[in-house]
Amino acid sequence: MEKGQEEMKKGQEEMKKGQEEMKNGIQSHIESKVGEIKDHVNSCIEKIEADVQSVKREIGEVKGEVERKIEEVEDKVQGKIEEVKEKVQVKIGDLEKRLSELEDRPINFPANPDLTYSRPTVKSLTFDGQTSWTVFKTQFDVVSSANGWNNRVKASQLVASLRGSAVEVLQGIPSDKLTDLMTIENALEARFGDSHLTQFYRTELKTRRQKPGESFQVLAADVERLMSLAYAECPQDVRDGLAAQYFVDAIRDEDTQHATRLMDAKDLKSALAYSMKHKAAKTVSKTSRNVRSIQVEDGTGKEKDEKFDCLLKTLEKLLNSHVAGKKNTPRRNPNVTCWKCNKKGHVQRECQTISPNQEN
């Protein structure tokens, strides 16, 4: 029994020894693999580092090339700038020299009118106080703008344009203010302005009616004129609505007026267009009715013509039958002798000779 235990113990020791050997073999194998992996990783790292260095070198080369190109471009641009500056300086010098020569040269206009040049201007207007100051001022502003006048020139031109009673306004202006455009315009506005006639123009608008034979276009133009005088201070949308209303109220034809009013136009242009369309449609409708009535009358005339043709054909038949009856009557013997006049060719009852007894 002791022998068996020893063998068992010996077997356990051998098993333990075998396990240790196996463990050492596995550990040795693992260490070998780990070493191989480390070597491979180190090799990859070295390769990556080499690639990084290569890329850095390439980047440095490209950067250097770019910097060189930039420097070349800058040098070229700087050279061009210097060249342009030199040319500009030369041009400036030439211009200054010419300007100096022109300033020193006496002004002598050529006598030949073909060689002269004058700026085209618009002829000045005149104001005598009898026409509308508002209209004249608008025209004067247009002429001033076209001629390029400043306020001082405009003031002198305005003073020179006054005639008749308008010149009397200058008597109330101080002499030192006769060149002030605002002072002169305010004085003329106070004397001849239309602001005090606003109520008059509004009344004229309310009582305005279309005249016999007056077109819608003329009526609309007059309404627009009165609106600009009566409601100059009103906003544009309010003026448009009032103009359309006054235009509709002034229309002479009741049907057109009613139709245009129902249309509810928002401005004068829309009201004018609709009224003209309505008038045109009404004219076309009236023409169509006249044409239809003429066509009906033509139909009745045709019936009369047919009856007349029928009667004419009947008369032709009777005439033809009468002529045919004469043709069918037996012809008289030309050698027959009249017992009354003893002449040939007819009988006694057809004789037209007058006897002595008939004359008595």
Side-chain angles (χ1 to χ4, degrees):
M1 186 174 178
E2 292 178 355
K3 186 178 180 178
Q5 291 178 350
E6 291 177 357
E7 292 178 354
M8 185 178 294
K9 186 176 180 180
K10 186 178 180 179
Q12 290 177 352
E13 290 177 355
E14 292 178 354
M15 185 179 296
K16 187 175 180 181
K17 185 179 180 180
Q19 290 177 350
E20 289 178 357
E21 292 177 353
M22 184 180 295
K23 183 177 180 181
N24 292 331
I26 292 171
Q27 187 174 359
S28 176
H29 181 72
I30 290 172
E31 290 176 354
S32 175
K33 290 296 182 182
V34 170
E36 293 177 358
I37 293 171
K38 286 182 178 180
D39 294 339
H40 182 69
V41 170
N42 291 330
S43 176
C44 291
I45 291 173
E46 292 176 355
K47 186 176 181 181
I48 291 171
E49 290 177 352
D51 293 339
V52 170
Q53 294 298 327
S54 176
V55 171
K56 286 182 178 180
R57 286 194 298 273
E58 292 179 357
I59 290 174
E61 294 175 357
V62 172
K63 185 177 180 181
E65 185 69 21
V66 170
E67 290 178 352
R68 285 194 297 275
K69 293 290 185 183
I70 291 174
E71 290 177 357
E72 292 178 359
V73 172
E74 288 179 350
D75 293 340
K76 291 181 179 180
V77 172
Q78 189 65 29
K80 291 290 184 182
I81 292 174
E82 294 296 333
E83 184 179 351
V84 172
K85 287 175 67 177
E86 291 178 359
K87 291 181 178 180
V88 170
Q89 291 296 333
V90 172
K91 293 290 185 182
I92 292 174
D94 292 341
L95 292 175
E96 289 178 349
K97 183 179 179 180
R98 292 182 181 180
L99 182 60
S100 177
E101 292 176 354
L102 290 174
E103 290 177 350
D104 297 336
R105 182 184 304 172
I107 301 175
N108 295 319
F109 292 101
N112 188 355
D114 295 335
L115 300 178
T116 61
Y117 174 79
S118 60
R119 180 181 178 184
T121 58
V122 182
K123 185 178 180 181
S124 300
L125 306 173
T126 58
F127 179 68
D128 58 0
Q130 302 299 320
T131 58
S132 173
W133 158 250
T134 303
V135 175
F136 172 79
K137 186 177 182 302
T138 302
Q139 294 176 327
F140 183 78
D141 291 339
V142 173
V143 172
S144 302
S145 177
N147 291 335
W149 295 337
N150 55 28
N151 287 342
R152 188 177 184 86
V153 176
K154 287 175 66 175
S156 61
Q157 290 290 336
L158 181 58
V159 170
S161 67
L162 300 180
R163 300 286 188 276
S165 60
V167 182
E168 299 174 0
V169 176
L170 301 178
Q171 298 176 0
I173 301 176
S175 58
D176 59 337
K177 293 293 185 179
L178 290 176
T179 57
D180 184 66
L181 179 64
M182 186 67 68
T183 301
I184 300 172
E185 288 184 346
N186 290 338
L188 291 170
E189 176 68 30
R191 175 73 179 274
F192 302 103
D194 300 331
S195 58
H196 62 285
L197 299 176
T198 299
Q199 190 60 42
F200 169 77
Y201 291 126
R202 292 182 180 181
T203 303
E204 188 174 356
L205 263 175
K206 293 179 181 179
T207 58
R208 181 67 165 88
R209 294 296 180 267
Q210 186 180 14
K211 302 174 184 177
E214 185 180 27
S215 64
F216 288 134
Q217 295 94 324
V218 175
L219 175 62
D222 192 44
V223 170
E224 187 174 9
R225 178 187 66 84
L226 293 173
M227 282 296 304
S228 63
L229 296 173
Y231 297 94
E233 304 300 328
C234 291
Q236 187 62 41
D237 54 345
V238 176
R239 290 175 59 182
D240 291 340
L242 288 175
Q245 179 180 346
Y246 285 126
F247 173 76
V248 173
D249 293 340
I251 293 177
R252 185 180 184 86
D253 184 71
E254 294 182 358
D255 293 339
T256 305
Q257 183 189 71
H258 182 66
T260 309
R261 195 186 307 279
L262 291 177
M263 184 259 184
D264 192 19
K266 301 301 181 183
D267 52 46
L268 179 59
K269 184 178 180 181
S270 301
L272 173 61
Y274 186 83
S275 62
M276 294 178 65
K277 289 181 180 179
H278 185 273
K279 180 181 179 181
K282 188 175 180 180
T283 304
V284 171
S285 177
K286 183 177 180 180
T287 304
S288 300
R289 288 197 300 269
N290 292 336
V291 170
R292 287 196 297 269
S293 63
I294 292 173
Q295 290 176 349
V296 172
E297 292 177 358
D298 287 345
T300 305
K302 289 180 179 179
E303 293 178 358
K304 293 180 179 179
D305 291 341
E306 291 177 356
K307 293 180 179 181
F308 179 76
D309 292 340
C310 182
L311 180 59
L312 183 60
K313 289 179 180 179
T314 303
L315 292 175
E316 288 180 352
K317 289 181 180 180
L318 292 175
L319 182 59
N320 292 333
S321 61
H322 178 70
V323 172
K326 282 189 173 182
K327 289 181 179 180
N328 295 330
T329 303
R331 299 181 65 182
R332 188 179 301 278
N333 187 359
N335 296 323
V336 68
T337 301
C338 177
W339 293 349
K340 182 178 180 181
C341 63
N342 296 322
K343 293 181 179 180
K344 294 182 178 182
H346 62 278
V347 294
Q348 182 179 357
R349 65 175 177 270
E350 297 176 358
C351 183
Q352 297 180 1
T353 303
I354 300 175
S355 61
N357 294 330
Q358 290 177 343
E359 291 180 357
N360 295 330

